[in-house]
């Protein structure tokens, strides 16, 4: 498991609570994606359910239930059951929460405690969130919830109010460099800068070879694109049939570089354009997995949004 240097304070708070007289039943593990919150949740859950004198399995634990993206539909469920590749859903659904709740009517298998990990909790569909709220309001004895969240504001206020929050800070540039080196990857300054403290983002940057794309994005934001040359190059680098993971990595990178440009700018009007572009990229990232975009045109849509942030830019759509 990755050694996360940004977890020290979270561990201190967790272990203080674990050693106290009354452990809170609901926890939010909050911070941007790529900070190791899932790793923390799994390790913390193992500490929670372990009891003296009771052997603990090294693999899957019967008293740790993890909910994340499941199969997309019935066809995907059949493929999963057959051990074949399947497409994931884009949310955590109410039937997953209901199935978990049915397990809560029985006692934990090995000891007196059970941990429920939901990752990411901010991607629960509305009905799933409302169903979970009932369990948080009246948790069964010995049941504890760890909700991994990248965007806590997307959770129901009533869920947030019933949980204690552990915050995970972004990693420093030196920490990212050391972690990349531990993975056998060069500590590319471009990857580190674009990651903005997220090790997951830095790994994607390296795995997807996004350095050339970062240069084109920065050029579009800084100088615009009087013709379509820059946008054409962006489309070429992304690829005509880029998969969902690559497109998402590019959108994350674009948001990061636009945010960094906004922080560096001293021009209030330019900062406003950059903020508008960042919001538009965020919306596009949310829509892209489900909207019927032409894969060949999506890179040009991304490029046009970036051009809109450039000084004296042309309109976003030319």
């Amino acid at each position: 498991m990755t050694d996360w240097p940004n977890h020290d304070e979270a561990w201190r708070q967790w272990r203080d609570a674990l050693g106290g007289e009354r452990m809170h039943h609901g926890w939010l593990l909050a911070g941007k994606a790529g900070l190791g919150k899932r790793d923390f949740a799994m390790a913390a859950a193992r500490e929670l359910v372990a009891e003296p004198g009771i052997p603990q399995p090294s693999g899957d634990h019967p008293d740790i239930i993890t909910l994340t993206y499941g199969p997309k539909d019935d066809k995907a469920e059949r493929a999963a059951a057959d051990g074949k590749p399947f497409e994931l859903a884009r949310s955590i659904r109410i039937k997953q929460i209901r199935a978990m709740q049915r397990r809560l009517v029985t006692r934990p298998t090995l000891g007196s405690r059970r941990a429920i990990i939901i990752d990411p909790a901010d991607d629960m569909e509305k009905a799933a969130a409302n169903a979970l709220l009932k369990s948080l309001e009246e948790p069964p004895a010995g049941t504890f919830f760890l909700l991994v969240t990248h965007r806590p504001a997307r959770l129901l206020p009533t869920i947030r109010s019933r949980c204690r929050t552990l915050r995970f800070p972004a990693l420093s540039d030196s920490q990212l460099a050391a972690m990349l080196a531990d993975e056998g990857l060069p500590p590319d300054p471009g990857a580190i800068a674009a990651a903005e403290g997220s090790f997951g983002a830095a790994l994607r940057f390296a795995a997807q070879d996004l350095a050339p794309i970062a240069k084109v994005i920065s050029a579009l934001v800084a100088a615009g694109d009087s013709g379509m040359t820059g946008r054409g190059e962006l489309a070429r680098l992304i690829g005509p049939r880029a998969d969902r993971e690559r497109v998402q990595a590019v959108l994350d990178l674009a948001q990061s570089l636009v945010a960094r440009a906004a922080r560096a700018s001293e021009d209030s009007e330019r900062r406003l354009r950059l903020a508008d572009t960042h919001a538009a990229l965020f919306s596009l990232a949310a829509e892209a997995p489900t909207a019927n975009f032409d894969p060949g045109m999506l890179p040009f849509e991304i490029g046009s949004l970036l051009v809109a942030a450039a000084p004296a830019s042309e309109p976003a759509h030319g």
Side-chain angles (χ1 to χ4, degrees):
M1 185 176 289
T2 302
D3 181 17
W4 295 94
N6 58 328
H7 288 190
D8 291 350
E9 177 59 19
W11 276 120
R12 186 193 67 76
Q13 293 184 41
W14 174 262
R15 287 170 176 154
D16 282 352
L18 196 57
E21 293 184 4
R22 187 174 181 180
M23 179 75 168
H24 200 81
H25 69 276
W27 295 78
L28 292 184
L29 312 185
K32 64 163 49 180
L35 297 180
K37 300 187 297 297
R38 182 184 178 92
D39 281 359
F40 180 94
M42 291 301 299
R46 285 190 171 273
E47 287 195 2
L48 176 77
V49 300
E51 295 183 17
I54 300 178
Q56 301 293 307
S58 58
D60 291 343
H61 198 293
D63 295 327
I64 299 175
I65 301 171
T66 302
L67 303 184
T68 187
Y69 306 113
K72 177 184 178 181
D73 49 28
D74 292 343
K75 179 180 178 181
E77 286 184 359
R78 290 193 295 271
D82 293 338
K84 298 177 181 178
F86 60 92
E87 188 173 354
L88 292 174
R90 299 184 177 95
S91 62
I92 295 172
R93 297 175 172 173
I94 187 170
K95 68 178 181 179
Q96 294 173 269
I97 301 295
R98 295 294 190 208
M100 175 270 292
Q101 289 171 327
R102 286 193 291 272
R103 293 183 62 178
L104 300 188
V105 301
T106 63
R107 292 178 57 82
T109 302
L110 297 182
S112 61
R113 289 176 168 178
R114 175 188 283 128
I116 313 297
I117 298 171
I118 302 180
D119 175 29
D122 32 287
D123 275 352
M124 285 186 291
E125 61 186 16
K126 185 176 180 180
N130 285 325
L132 175 66
L133 181 59
K134 295 179 180 179
S135 292
L136 286 171
E137 289 172 337
E138 299 179 8
T143 297
F144 300 84
F145 295 87
L146 292 89
L147 310 185
V148 175
T149 174
H150 312 317
R151 298 175 294 275
R154 292 184 59 181
L155 291 171
L156 292 174
T158 43
I159 287 180
R160 296 199 304 269
S161 69
R162 285 165 173 77
C163 295
R164 177 173 170 179
T165 300
L166 292 179
R167 300 194 182 279
F168 291 76
L171 293 149
S172 68
D173 287 356
S174 61
Q175 288 171 333
L176 282 176
M179 294 175 75
L180 287 170
D182 287 344
E183 293 290 327
L185 297 169
D188 184 336
I192 291 170
E196 294 204 306
S198 166
F199 183 52
L203 284 177
R204 286 195 301 275
F205 190 101
Q208 294 280 354
D209 189 23
L210 296 184
I213 292 177
K215 291 179 181 178
V216 174
I217 288 174
S218 295
L220 290 172
V221 171
D225 190 20
S226 57
M228 293 289 286
T229 306
R231 279 165 278 192
E233 178 65 3
L234 181 65
R236 185 188 72 79
L237 290 171
I238 293 174
R241 294 180 177 83
D243 60 22
R244 175 183 170 188
E245 184 176 354
R246 183 165 177 79
V247 170
Q248 190 61 53
V250 171
L251 283 163
D252 290 346
L253 173 63
Q255 291 176 67
S256 174
L257 293 175
V258 168
R260 187 171 62 175
R263 289 195 299 272
S265 177
E266 297 180 357
D267 182 332
S268 60
E269 291 187 6
R270 175 157 166 72
R271 284 199 303 271
L272 181 59
R273 286 200 303 274
L274 288 162
D276 288 343
T277 292
H278 189 275
L281 287 166
F282 183 86
S283 296
L284 184 61
E287 295 169 7
T290 55
N292 189 27
F293 286 109
D294 181 335
M297 293 304 298
L298 186 55
F300 287 94
E301 178 71 15
I302 295 170
S304 293
L305 292 175
L306 295 168
V307 167
S313 66
E314 61 193 89
H317 298 282

Coordinates of all heavy atoms in Angstrom, one line a residue, residues 22-88:
R22 N -16.7 6.7 23.4 CA -17.8 6.5 22.4 C -17.3 7.0 21.0 O -17.1 8.1 20.8 CB -19.0 7.4 22.9 CG -20.2 7.2 22.0 CD -21.4 7.9 22.6 NE -22.6 7.7 21.8 CZ -23.8 8.3 22.0 NH1 -23.9 9.1 23.1 NH2 -24.8 8.0 21.3
M23 N -17.2 6.0 20.2 CA -16.7 6.2 18.8 C -17.9 6.7 17.9 O -19.0 6.1 17.9 CB -16.2 4.9 18.2 CG -15.7 5.0 16.8 SD -14.1 5.8 16.7 CE -13.7 5.4 15.0
H24 N -17.7 7.8 17.2 CA -18.7 8.4 16.3 C -19.0 7.4 15.2 O -18.1 6.7 14.7 CB -18.3 9.7 15.7 CG -19.4 10.5 15.2 ND1 -20.2 11.3 16.1 CD2 -19.9 10.7 14.0 CE1 -21.1 11.9 15.4 NE2 -21.0 11.5 14.1
H25 N -20.3 7.2 14.9 CA -20.7 6.2 13.9 C -20.5 6.6 12.5 O -20.6 5.7 11.6 CB -22.1 5.8 14.2 CG -23.1 6.8 13.8 ND1 -23.5 7.9 14.7 CD2 -23.9 7.0 12.7 CE1 -24.3 8.7 14.1 NE2 -24.6 8.2 12.9
G26 N -20.4 7.9 12.2 CA -20.3 8.3 10.8 C -19.1 9.2 10.6 O -18.9 10.1 11.3
W27 N -18.3 9.0 9.5 CA -17.1 9.7 9.2 C -17.1 10.1 7.7 O -17.4 9.3 6.8 CB -15.9 8.9 9.5 CG -15.8 8.6 11.0 CD1 -16.4 7.6 11.7 CD2 -14.9 9.2 11.9 NE1 -16.0 7.6 13.0 CE2 -15.1 8.6 13.2 CE3 -13.9 10.3 11.8 CZ2 -14.4 9.0 14.3 CZ3 -13.3 10.6 12.9 CH2 -13.5 10.0 14.2
L28 N -16.8 11.4 7.5 CA -16.5 11.9 6.1 C -15.0 12.0 5.9 O -14.3 12.7 6.7 CB -17.1 13.3 5.9 CG -18.7 13.4 5.9 CD1 -19.0 14.8 5.5 CD2 -19.3 12.4 4.8
L29 N -14.5 11.3 4.9 CA -13.1 11.4 4.6 C -13.0 12.4 3.4 O -13.3 12.0 2.2 CB -12.5 10.1 4.2 CG -12.8 8.9 5.2 CD1 -12.0 7.7 4.8 CD2 -12.5 9.3 6.6
A30 N -12.7 13.6 3.6 CA -12.9 14.7 2.7 C -11.5 15.2 2.1 O -10.6 15.5 2.9 CB -13.7 15.8 3.3
G31 N -11.5 15.5 0.8 CA -10.3 16.1 0.2 C -10.4 15.8 -1.3 O -11.2 15.0 -1.7
K32 N -9.6 16.5 -2.1 CA -9.6 16.3 -3.5 C -9.3 14.8 -3.9 O -8.7 14.1 -3.0 CB -8.7 17.2 -4.2 CG -7.2 17.1 -3.9 CD -6.3 17.7 -4.9 CE -6.7 19.2 -5.2 NZ -5.7 19.8 -6.2
A33 N -9.6 14.4 -5.0 CA -9.3 13.0 -5.5 C -7.8 12.9 -5.6 O -7.0 13.8 -5.8 CB -9.9 12.8 -6.9
G34 N -7.4 11.6 -5.3 CA -5.9 11.3 -5.5 C -5.1 11.5 -4.2 O -3.9 11.6 -4.3
L35 N -5.7 11.6 -3.0 CA -5.0 11.9 -1.8 C -5.0 10.7 -0.9 O -4.6 10.8 0.3 CB -5.6 13.1 -1.1 CG -5.6 14.4 -1.8 CD1 -6.2 15.5 -0.9 CD2 -4.1 14.8 -2.1
G36 N -5.4 9.5 -1.4 CA -5.3 8.3 -0.6 C -6.4 8.0 0.4 O -6.3 7.2 1.3
K37 N -7.6 8.7 0.2 CA -8.6 8.5 1.2 C -9.2 7.1 1.2 O -9.6 6.6 2.2 CB -9.8 9.5 0.8 CG -9.3 11.0 0.9 CD -10.5 12.0 0.7 CE -11.2 11.9 -0.6 NZ -10.3 12.2 -1.7
R38 N -9.2 6.5 0.0 CA -9.7 5.1 0.0 C -8.7 4.2 0.8 O -9.2 3.3 1.5 CB -9.9 4.6 -1.4 CG -10.4 3.1 -1.5 CD -10.5 2.7 -2.9 NE -11.0 1.3 -3.0 CZ -12.3 0.9 -3.1 NH1 -13.2 1.8 -3.2 NH2 -12.6 -0.3 -3.2
D39 N -7.4 4.4 0.6 CA -6.5 3.6 1.3 C -6.6 3.8 2.8 O -6.6 2.8 3.6 CB -5.0 4.0 0.9 CG -4.6 3.3 -0.4 OD1 -5.4 2.6 -1.0 OD2 -3.5 3.6 -0.9
F40 N -6.8 5.0 3.2 CA -7.1 5.3 4.6 C -8.3 4.6 5.1 O -8.3 4.0 6.2 CB -7.2 6.8 4.9 CG -7.4 7.2 6.3 CD1 -6.3 7.5 7.1 CD2 -8.7 7.2 6.9 CE1 -6.5 7.8 8.5 CE2 -8.9 7.5 8.2 CZ -7.8 7.8 9.0
A41 N -9.4 4.7 4.4 CA -10.7 4.0 4.8 C -10.5 2.5 5.0 O -11.0 2.0 6.0 CB -11.7 4.3 3.7
M42 N -9.8 1.9 4.1 CA -9.6 0.4 4.2 C -8.7 0.1 5.5 O -9.1 -0.8 6.2 CB -8.9 -0.1 3.0 CG -9.8 -0.1 1.7 SD -11.4 -1.0 1.9 CE -10.8 -2.7 2.2
A43 N -7.6 0.8 5.7 CA -6.8 0.6 6.8 C -7.5 0.9 8.1 O -7.4 0.2 9.1 CB -5.5 1.4 6.7
A44 N -8.2 2.0 8.1 CA -9.0 2.4 9.3 C -10.1 1.4 9.7 O -10.3 1.1 10.8 CB -9.5 3.8 9.2
A45 N -10.7 0.9 8.6 CA -11.8 0.0 8.9 C -11.2 -1.3 9.5 O -11.9 -1.9 10.4 CB -12.5 -0.4 7.6
R46 N -10.1 -1.7 9.0 CA -9.4 -2.9 9.6 C -9.1 -2.7 11.1 O -9.2 -3.6 11.9 CB -8.2 -3.3 8.8 CG -8.6 -4.0 7.5 CD -7.4 -4.6 6.8 NE -7.8 -5.4 5.7 CZ -8.2 -6.7 5.7 NH1 -8.2 -7.3 6.9 NH2 -8.6 -7.3 4.6
E47 N -8.6 -1.5 11.4 CA -8.3 -1.2 12.8 C -9.6 -1.3 13.6 O -9.6 -1.7 14.8 CB -7.6 0.1 13.0 CG -6.2 0.1 12.5 CD -5.4 1.4 13.0 OE1 -6.0 2.2 13.8 OE2 -4.2 1.5 12.7
L48 N -10.7 -0.8 13.0 CA -11.9 -0.7 13.8 C -12.5 -2.0 14.1 O -13.0 -2.3 15.2 CB -12.9 0.1 12.9 CG -14.4 0.2 13.4 CD1 -14.4 1.3 14.5 CD2 -15.3 0.6 12.3
V49 N -12.5 -2.9 13.1 CA -13.2 -4.2 13.3 C -12.3 -5.3 14.1 O -12.8 -6.3 14.5 CB -13.7 -4.8 12.0 CG1 -14.6 -3.9 11.3 CG2 -12.5 -5.2 11.1
A50 N -11.0 -5.0 14.1 CA -10.1 -6.0 14.8 C -10.3 -6.0 16.3 O -10.5 -5.0 16.9 CB -8.6 -5.6 14.5
E51 N -10.3 -7.2 16.9 CA -10.5 -7.3 18.3 C -9.5 -8.3 18.8 O -9.1 -9.3 18.1 CB -11.9 -7.8 18.6 CG -13.0 -6.8 18.3 CD -14.4 -7.3 18.7 OE1 -14.5 -8.2 19.5 OE2 -15.4 -6.7 18.2
P52 N -9.0 -8.1 20.0 CA -7.9 -9.0 20.6 C -8.5 -10.5 20.6 O -9.6 -10.7 21.0 CB -7.7 -8.5 22.0 CG -8.1 -7.0 21.9 CD -9.3 -7.0 20.9
G53 N -7.6 -11.4 20.2 CA -7.9 -12.8 20.3 C -8.7 -13.3 19.2 O -9.0 -14.5 19.1
I54 N -9.1 -12.5 18.2 CA -9.9 -12.9 17.1 C -9.0 -12.8 15.8 O -8.7 -11.7 15.4 CB -11.2 -12.1 16.9 CG1 -12.1 -12.2 18.1 CG2 -12.0 -12.5 15.7 CD1 -13.3 -11.4 18.1
P55 N -8.6 -13.9 15.2 CA -7.8 -13.8 14.0 C -8.5 -13.0 12.9 O -9.7 -13.2 12.7 CB -7.6 -15.3 13.6 CG -7.9 -16.1 14.9 CD -8.9 -15.3 15.6
Q56 N -7.7 -12.2 12.2 CA -8.3 -11.4 11.2 C -7.8 -11.8 9.8 O -6.6 -12.1 9.7 CB -7.9 -9.9 11.4 CG -8.4 -9.3 12.7 CD -9.9 -9.2 12.8 OE1 -10.5 -8.6 11.9 NE2 -10.4 -9.7 13.8
P57 N -8.6 -11.9 8.8 CA -8.2 -12.4 7.5 C -7.3 -11.3 6.8 O -7.5 -10.1 7.0 CB -9.5 -12.6 6.7 CG -10.5 -11.7 7.4 CD -10.1 -11.7 8.8
S58 N -6.3 -11.7 6.0 CA -5.5 -10.8 5.3 C -6.1 -10.2 4.1 O -5.8 -9.2 3.6 CB -4.1 -11.4 5.0 OG -4.3 -12.6 4.2
G59 N -7.0 -11.0 3.5 CA -7.7 -10.6 2.3 C -9.0 -9.9 2.6 O -9.1 -9.1 3.5
D60 N -10.1 -10.2 1.8 CA -11.4 -9.6 2.0 C -11.9 -9.9 3.4 O -11.7 -11.0 3.9 CB -12.4 -10.1 1.0 CG -12.1 -9.6 -0.4 OD1 -11.4 -8.6 -0.5 OD2 -12.6 -10.2 -1.3
H61 N -12.4 -8.9 4.1 CA -12.9 -9.0 5.5 C -14.4 -9.1 5.5 O -15.1 -8.2 4.9 CB -12.4 -7.9 6.3 CG -12.5 -8.1 7.8 ND1 -13.7 -8.3 8.5 CD2 -11.5 -8.3 8.7 CE1 -13.4 -8.5 9.7 NE2 -12.1 -8.5 9.9
P62 N -15.0 -10.1 6.1 CA -16.5 -10.2 6.1 C -17.2 -9.1 6.8 O -18.4 -8.9 6.6 CB -16.7 -11.5 6.8 CG -15.6 -11.7 7.7 CD -14.4 -11.2 6.9
D63 N -16.5 -8.3 7.7 CA -17.2 -7.2 8.4 C -16.8 -5.9 7.8 O -17.1 -4.8 8.5 CB -16.8 -7.3 9.9 CG -17.4 -8.6 10.5 OD1 -18.5 -9.0 10.1 OD2 -16.7 -9.2 11.4
I64 N -16.2 -5.8 6.6 CA -16.0 -4.6 5.9 C -16.7 -4.6 4.6 O -16.4 -5.4 3.7 CB -14.5 -4.3 5.7 CG1 -13.7 -4.2 7.1 CG2 -14.3 -3.0 4.9 CD1 -12.2 -4.1 6.9
I65 N -17.7 -3.8 4.5 CA -18.5 -3.7 3.2 C -18.2 -2.5 2.5 O -18.2 -1.4 3.0 CB -20.0 -3.7 3.6 CG1 -20.4 -5.0 4.4 CG2 -20.9 -3.6 2.3 CD1 -21.8 -4.9 5.0
T66 N -17.7 -2.6 1.2 CA -17.4 -1.5 0.4 C -18.3 -1.3 -0.8 O -18.6 -2.3 -1.5 CB -15.9 -1.7 -0.2 OG1 -15.0 -1.8 0.9 CG2 -15.5 -0.5 -1.0
L67 N -18.9 -0.2 -0.9 CA -19.8 0.2 -2.0 C -19.1 1.2 -2.9 O -18.6 2.2 -2.4 CB -21.1 0.8 -1.5 CG -21.9 -0.1 -0.5 CD1 -23.2 0.6 -0.2 CD2 -22.2 -1.4 -1.0
T68 N -19.0 0.9 -4.2 CA -18.5 1.8 -5.2 C -19.3 1.6 -6.4 O -20.4 1.0 -6.4 CB -17.0 1.6 -5.3 OG1 -16.5 2.6 -6.2 CG2 -16.6 0.2 -5.9
Y69 N -18.8 2.0 -7.6 CA -19.5 1.9 -8.8 C -19.7 0.4 -9.2 O -18.7 -0.4 -9.2 CB -18.8 2.6 -10.0 CG -18.4 4.0 -9.7 CD1 -17.1 4.4 -9.6 CD2 -19.4 5.0 -9.6 CE1 -16.8 5.8 -9.4 CE2 -19.2 6.3 -9.4 CZ -17.8 6.7 -9.3 OH -17.5 8.0 -9.1
G70 N -20.9 0.0 -9.4 CA -21.2 -1.4 -9.8 C -21.5 -1.5 -11.3 O -21.3 -0.5 -12.0
P71 N -21.9 -2.7 -11.7 CA -22.2 -2.9 -13.2 C -23.3 -1.9 -13.6 O -24.2 -1.6 -12.9 CB -22.7 -4.3 -13.2 CG -22.1 -5.0 -12.0 CD -22.1 -3.9 -11.0
K72 N -23.1 -1.5 -14.9 CA -24.0 -0.4 -15.5 C -25.5 -0.9 -15.6 O -26.4 -0.2 -15.3 CB -23.5 0.0 -16.8 CG -24.3 1.0 -17.6 CD -23.8 1.3 -18.9 CE -24.7 2.3 -19.7 NZ -24.2 2.5 -21.1
D73 N -25.7 -2.1 -16.0 CA -27.0 -2.6 -16.3 C -27.0 -4.1 -16.1 O -26.1 -4.8 -15.7 CB -27.5 -2.2 -17.7 CG -26.4 -2.5 -18.8 OD1 -25.7 -3.5 -18.6 OD2 -26.4 -1.8 -19.8
D74 N -28.2 -4.8 -16.5 CA -28.3 -6.2 -16.4 C -27.3 -7.0 -17.2 O -26.7 -8.0 -16.8 CB -29.7 -6.7 -16.8 CG -30.8 -6.2 -15.9 OD1 -30.4 -5.8 -14.7 OD2 -32.0 -6.2 -16.2
K75 N -27.0 -6.4 -18.4 CA -26.0 -7.1 -19.3 C -24.6 -7.0 -18.6 O -23.9 -8.0 -18.6 CB -25.9 -6.4 -20.6 CG -24.9 -7.0 -21.6 CD -24.9 -6.2 -22.9 CE -23.9 -6.7 -23.8 NZ -23.8 -6.0 -25.1
A76 N -24.3 -5.9 -18.0 CA -23.0 -5.8 -17.3 C -23.0 -6.7 -16.1 O -21.9 -7.2 -15.8 CB -22.8 -4.3 -17.0
E77 N -24.1 -6.8 -15.4 CA -24.1 -7.7 -14.2 C -23.9 -9.1 -14.6 O -23.2 -9.9 -13.9 CB -25.5 -7.5 -13.5 CG -25.6 -6.2 -12.7 CD -26.9 -6.2 -12.0 OE1 -27.7 -7.1 -12.1 OE2 -27.2 -5.2 -11.3
R78 N -24.4 -9.6 -15.7 CA -24.2 -10.9 -16.2 C -22.7 -11.1 -16.6 O -22.2 -12.2 -16.3 CB -25.1 -11.2 -17.4 CG -26.6 -11.4 -17.0 CD -27.4 -12.0 -18.2 NE -27.4 -11.1 -19.4 CZ -28.3 -10.2 -19.6 NH1 -29.3 -10.0 -18.7 NH2 -28.3 -9.5 -20.7
A79 N -22.2 -10.1 -17.2 CA -20.7 -10.2 -17.6 C -19.9 -10.3 -16.3 O -18.9 -11.1 -16.3 CB -20.3 -9.0 -18.4
A80 N -20.2 -9.5 -15.3 CA -19.5 -9.5 -14.1 C -19.6 -10.9 -13.4 O -18.6 -11.4 -12.9 CB -20.0 -8.4 -13.1
A81 N -20.8 -11.4 -13.4 CA -21.0 -12.7 -12.8 C -20.2 -13.8 -13.5 O -19.8 -14.8 -12.9 CB -22.5 -13.1 -12.8
D82 N -20.0 -13.7 -14.8 CA -19.2 -14.6 -15.6 C -17.7 -14.4 -15.6 O -16.9 -15.0 -16.3 CB -19.7 -14.6 -17.0 CG -21.1 -15.2 -17.2 OD1 -21.6 -15.9 -16.2 OD2 -21.8 -14.9 -18.2
G83 N -17.3 -13.3 -14.8 CA -15.9 -13.0 -14.8 C -15.4 -12.3 -16.0 O -14.2 -12.3 -16.3
K84 N -16.3 -11.7 -16.8 CA -15.9 -11.0 -18.1 C -15.8 -9.5 -17.8 O -16.4 -9.0 -16.8 CB -16.9 -11.3 -19.1 CG -17.0 -12.8 -19.5 CD -18.1 -13.0 -20.6 CE -18.3 -14.5 -20.9 NZ -19.4 -14.7 -21.9
P85 N -15.1 -8.8 -18.7 CA -15.1 -7.3 -18.6 C -16.5 -6.7 -18.7 O -17.4 -7.2 -19.4 CB -14.2 -6.8 -19.7 CG -13.4 -8.0 -20.1 CD -14.3 -9.2 -19.8
F86 N -16.8 -5.7 -17.9 CA -18.1 -5.1 -17.9 C -18.0 -3.5 -17.7 O -17.0 -3.1 -17.2 CB -19.0 -5.7 -16.8 CG -18.5 -5.5 -15.4 CD1 -18.9 -4.4 -14.7 CD2 -17.6 -6.4 -14.9 CE1 -18.4 -4.2 -13.4 CE2 -17.2 -6.3 -13.6 CZ -17.6 -5.2 -12.8
E87 N -19.0 -2.8 -18.2 CA -19.0 -1.4 -18.0 C -19.6 -1.0 -16.7 O -20.6 -1.5 -16.2 CB -19.9 -0.8 -19.2 CG -19.8 0.7 -19.2 CD -20.5 1.3 -20.4 OE1 -21.0 0.6 -21.3 OE2 -20.6 2.6 -20.5
L88 N -18.9 0.0 -16.1 CA -19.4 0.4 -14.7 C -20.5 1.5 -14.8 O -20.5 2.3 -15.8 CB -18.2 1.1 -14.0 CG -17.1 0.1 -13.6 CD1 -15.9 0.9 -12.9 CD2 -17.6 -0.9 -12.6

